[in-house]
Amino acid sequence: MNKHSMIFIGLDTHKEFHEVAYCEEQRGASPVHYGRIPSSKASVKKLLRQFESKYPGATLHVVYEAGPCGYWIYRLITSLGHCCYVVAPSLIPKKPGERIKTDRRDALKLVRSLKSEDLTPIYVPEPEDEAVRDLSRAREAAMKDLKEAKYQLKALLLRNNIRYEGTANWSKKHLRWLTELILPHPAQQIVLQEQLQTIEERIRRLERLDNELTHHVHQWRYYPVVKAIQAMRGVRLLVAVGVVAELGDLHRFDHPRKLMAYLGLVPSEQSSGGKRHLGAITKAGNGRARRLLIEGAHSYRYPANVSTELQLRQEGLPKDIVDIAWKAQLRLCKRYQRMSKKGKHYNLIITAIAREMAAYIWAIAKEVVLTPVNPKLRLSRVPA
């Protein structure tokens, strides 16, 4: 066996087991079904040792699909000095006529596609980056739970024709009014009290997550990027943290158009011959980052202006970053007004603004110099 040869290994991962297939580098070699191994750290290590002993000097290239099992397999294999690739299931080539899907076939397909270079690996975040992302997502989930509890309480009041005469819902005055309500039936009164307690508990949960997120973000290696992109209008702390946590290292995009495509903010296209048809946006890639940018894009419907809050966020930032943010505000505010006068739909305008916001965020991130990750200090997330 040539010491420079490569062995391709495909893993169809599951909670309890992994289906394994492999293929040699030689031209014409067919994929071979290896079998099934338990889903544990020791089993994966044993599998790699067996291939190392069977093909001494060969380079092992392992591939598996991204899924709920996370990235611990990737981090384990790369820590042992082998190559590993994680691919998105939606980007794996599939024949239209295939109607049979099994774990064995999936593993063989992964190996075959890896050998023919038909797979595009996805970006795998560092463990500490993934931890901040989990915290950011947990905060968003807490906000959704709080809104759901408030909707349920308002629905209860609506069914009983009880209306609040004040102006600000969920203010202290409104909450005091809710505690003084007396519903027609004792059973309904119990429901009201339980829903009030649920809202109070979820408010405290949201406050705890806000405090923890603020604390950990200030210690995060991407905090300079988070602080820098807050120079833009419509990008406060929560939006900045969410976007950076979902996108990770923006330096991996060598052009802003690639970032726009990754966010799914570019229009779909079906062109053939002399006809060119553009449709709705693709909505591919990271949906949460796309939603956060669209939320921030609503602020550009007002004339360009540096408010007191925005000025405070820009204090201490380099002049180049502040200039990019001001240039973005001038362009995006004018574009909103121009598209609005043409009669474009509001949602289309906001989507176009969010697409250009991504380009300016990319430009600001390129101005920030980050410290490379030291592999020896990398946080381990590999289970024992």
Side-chain angles (χ1 to χ4, degrees), residues 182-196:
I182 303 297
L183 295 185
H185 197 279
Q188 290 178 324
Q189 192 68 30
I190 293 176
V191 175
L192 174 63
Q193 295 301 324
E194 289 292 335
Q195 290 181 347
L196 285 174

Side-chain angles (χ1 to χ4, degrees), residues 172-312:
K172 292 183 179 180
K173 182 180 179 181
H174 182 219
L175 293 175
R176 285 194 299 268
W177 175 79
L178 289 172
T179 57
E180 297 170 357
L181 283 178
I182 303 297
L183 295 185
H185 197 279
Q188 290 178 324
Q189 192 68 30
I190 293 176
V191 175
L192 174 63
Q193 295 301 324
E194 289 292 335
Q195 290 181 347
L196 285 174
Q197 291 181 11
T198 300
I199 291 174
E200 185 179 356
E201 291 172 358
R202 293 183 180 180
I203 288 175
R204 292 200 298 266
R205 173 192 173 197
L206 183 63
E207 291 175 351
R208 291 195 301 269
L209 288 172
D210 280 335
N211 293 333
E212 291 298 326
L213 184 62
T214 303
H215 170 71
H216 287 283
V217 164
H218 281 79
Q219 300 177 351
W220 190 25
R221 69 188 184 101
Y222 281 124
Y223 177 69
V225 180
V226 172
K227 182 175 176 58
I229 66 175
Q230 288 185 72
M232 291 189 60
R233 184 176 181 172
V235 183
R236 300 183 183 180
L237 178 64
L238 293 177
V239 174
V241 173
V243 170
V244 176
E246 295 295 332
L247 299 181
D249 186 12
L250 294 177
H251 291 81
R252 73 181 193 273
F253 300 101
D254 54 6
H255 197 277
R257 289 200 183 110
K258 293 185 178 180
L259 175 58
M260 297 174 187
Y262 178 80
L263 291 168
L265 288 170
V266 297
S268 58
E269 182 177 356
Q270 296 213 356
S271 302
S272 179
K275 296 182 180 180
R276 184 169 183 258
H277 174 71
L278 297 179
I281 59 174
T282 61
K283 293 186 179 181
N286 195 293
R288 181 167 179 255
R290 179 174 63 252
R291 181 185 59 77
L292 291 172
L293 288 176
I294 288 178
E295 286 183 1
H298 288 274
S299 63
Y300 290 93
R301 65 184 185 272
Y302 304 109
N305 179 38
V306 178
S307 63
T308 304
E309 182 183 358
L310 181 58
Q311 186 177 6
L312 290 174

Side-chain angles (χ1 to χ4, degrees), residues 20 24 91 190 220 240 243 360:
V20 185
E24 298 179 355
L91 298 180
I190 293 176
W220 190 25
V243 170
Y360 283 107

Side-chain angles (χ1 to χ4, degrees), residues 126 128 372-380:
E126 293 291 332
E128 49 269 23
V373 178
N374 187 353
K376 296 181 180 179
L377 302 177
R378 181 176 286 138
L379 175 66
S380 177

Side-chain angles (χ1 to χ4, degrees), residues 64-113:
Y64 71 95
E65 295 181 14
C69 296
Y71 302 118
W72 70 267
I73 301 175
Y74 170 88
R75 292 173 182 138
L76 172 62
I77 293 175
T78 54
S79 66
L80 297 175
H82 302 292
C83 298
C84 186
Y85 311 95
V86 186
V87 297
S90 59
L91 298 180
I92 297 177
K94 181 180 179 181
K95 297 179 180 179
E98 287 184 351
R99 293 293 183 268
I100 301 177
K101 183 182 182 302
T102 63
D103 297 337
R104 181 175 180 271
R105 290 189 177 214
D106 288 345
L108 292 171
K109 183 193 296 183
L110 283 172
V111 172
R112 193 178 297 110
S113 300

Side-chain angles (χ1 to χ4, degrees), residues 21-37:
Y22 70 96
C23 184
E24 298 179 355
E25 181 190 15
Q26 285 80 8
R27 182 180 178 85
S30 301
V32 179
H33 180 239
Y34 179 87
R36 182 174 292 182
I37 64 173

